[in-house]
Amino acid sequence: MKRVIGVLLSLFFLAVSASANVRSGISGNVNWGASQISAEVSLDLGSAGISAPGSRVRAERLVSSEFFRLMRPHILSLQVDSSTTVADLVLRGLLSLSDVEEIVLSATRVPPSLSPNLMNMLAFHTISLDTISAALLRHTLPLEPMRTLQGVAAPNFTGIIIIATDSLPMHGMIGSAQPVPSLFPRIWDTDMNLIFERNMLNIGVPAMVRYAPSESIFRDTPSGLSPELAELVGDWPLRIIARGVFGTSPTDIIIDQGDALQIISTDNNRRLLAQGRVAIILPDSALTSGFSGN
C-alpha cells in the first residue's frame, strides 16, 4: 500500500511547497463515530521567511497550501470497503485525481492562528466522511435488497443495530479479528448471502452505515439509545449480534441467517437498508485512528 500511495503522490507533486526549506506538519484523526476527519497543520514561519506577526495573509495562504499537500496521502489511504482504499480506486481509474483534490478542498477550516510563541501558524480543518461517500457513490438506480420465498413473520422495525464490539471469527480463515470501519461495509448472512451493499442505497442517502460506541446503546432513555443513534434507527430497532467478519480487511459483517430473514422478509425492513438506517456498534478503540506527516 505504501508503494501504491507513493506512485499516486508522484503524480500529485507537480508543484511543491513555496520553498523546499519550508517546515510544516499535519496531525489528526479519522473519527468514524463522528463521521469526520480532523486535522491540524502547523507551519514554521521562520522556515518560510515570514516574520510574525507581519505577512499574515501570505502565511495563511501558505498554511492552506500545505494542508492541501499534507492531507492527500491520508485521503488516499482511507478504507473504502473490505478490499479497496481510495488509492486503489484511483489506480483502477474509478476515481480521478481531481476527485481526490475536490475532497480535500471540501474541508471546513477554523481561521488560522499563531502559536503562543508566535513561531508557527496553526490551522484546524475537518472533512466530512459523508462528503467522501457521496463522491464514491455513482449508481443512478438502487439495487433491490435480497428477497426470500421463505420469509418469516417479522415486525416493522425502525432501524437496524448490529453489535460488533468483540473480536469475531474470520470467514474462510483461521482466527478472529475486530471489525474495521470503512465507508461501505457489506453485510452478509451466515450462508454468505449478500444482504446489504452500497448500490442498494437510495440516491441522496449520505452514508451506508453509521458507527457508534457501545455506550450509545446503554443510555437511560426509553429506547436505551443515545439521542443521535435514536434519530437514525428510531425507538424500536432490530438489534443483532454480529457472528463474524469477512474480507481482506475485516470490514464486512456477518449476521445470523435468522436475523437476515427478519430484514428481508418485509418491504418496511428492506427499506431500512435503502435508507441507510443501519448502525454498527464498535468499541471505542476501533472508532478513531490517528495520523501524522510532514
Side-chain angles (χ1 to χ4, degrees):
M1 176 50 62
K2 289 183 179 179
R3 184 186 65 81
V4 170
I5 293 176
V7 171
L8 289 169
L9 289 180
S10 68
L11 297 175
F12 275 125
F13 293 155
L14 299 177
V16 295
S17 300
S19 168
N21 296 320
V22 168
R23 293 193 299 272
S24 62
I26 190 170
S27 63
N29 67 77
V30 182
N31 188 327
W32 294 93
S35 297
Q36 72 177 21
I37 301 172
S38 302
E40 183 179 67
V41 174
S42 175
L43 172 70
D44 183 282
L45 296 174
S47 69
I50 298 172
S51 58
S55 305
R56 183 182 179 93
V57 172
R58 178 168 172 255
E60 290 187 2
R61 288 175 179 170
L62 186 53
V63 78
S64 293
S65 174
E66 288 298 281
F67 168 73
F68 187 75
R69 178 180 70 84
L70 293 167
M71 191 67 228
R72 286 179 297 203
H74 304 294
I75 296 297
L76 289 168
S77 66
L78 196 66
Q79 198 71 38
V80 175
D81 56 35
S82 62
S83 62
T84 308
T85 64
V86 173
D88 294 324
L89 294 179
V90 174
L91 284 178
R92 295 173 193 168
L94 301 176
L95 193 71
S96 70
L97 297 178
S98 61
D99 289 331
V100 177
E101 293 182 353
E102 285 297 322
I103 290 170
V104 179
L105 289 172
S106 73
T108 59
R109 184 186 73 167
V110 175
S113 61
L114 293 173
S115 62
N117 62 8
L118 304 181
M119 297 179 65
N120 295 279
M121 176 70 75
L122 307 175
F124 184 78
H125 302 74
T126 59
I127 299 175
S128 169
L129 291 177
D130 289 354
T131 299
I132 303 175
S133 295
L136 303 182
L137 288 170
R138 302 295 177 86
H139 63 279
T140 56
L141 184 64
L143 297 178
E144 282 286 331
M146 179 181 177
R147 295 174 179 263
T148 178
L149 297 176
Q150 298 178 335
V152 298
N156 286 330
F157 295 104
T158 57
I160 299 167
I161 295 176
I162 301 175
I163 302 170
T165 53
D166 298 320
S167 187
L168 296 166
M170 301 173 66
H171 179 78
M173 302 179 68
I174 298 174
S176 60
Q178 174 64 56
V180 173
S182 70
L183 295 173
F184 304 118
R186 301 179 187 90
I187 298 173
W188 308 78
D189 72 8
T190 42
D191 284 346
M192 296 312 291
N193 295 306
L194 183 58
I195 304 302
F196 189 32
E197 58 110 342
R198 73 173 87 174
N199 291 316
M200 295 177 186
L201 280 178
N202 286 342
I203 306 302
V205 174
M208 181 175 172
V209 304
R210 296 292 186 189
Y211 291 97
S214 303
E215 63 181 27
S216 64
I217 58 173
F218 297 111
R219 291 294 186 88
D220 186 19
T221 61
S223 65
L225 307 177
S226 68
E228 298 81 9
L229 188 56
E231 184 177 356
L232 175 70
V233 299
D235 292 330
W236 198 37
L238 171 63
R239 298 174 187 240
I240 298 172
I241 303 296
R243 299 302 181 188
V245 290
F246 179 56
T248 305
S249 179
T251 65
D252 292 4
I253 303 293
I254 300 172
I255 63 175
D256 187 79
Q257 186 184 42
D259 291 323
L261 285 174
Q262 291 203 74
I263 297 172
I264 64 176
S265 291
T266 73
D267 289 338
N268 176 84
N269 295 343
R270 284 192 297 272
R271 278 195 296 270
L272 299 177
L273 300 176
Q275 296 169 356
R277 296 191 176 276
V278 180
I280 297 177
I281 308 301
L282 296 181
D284 288 344
S285 60
L287 289 174
T288 305
S289 58
F291 60 83
S292 61
N294 51 42

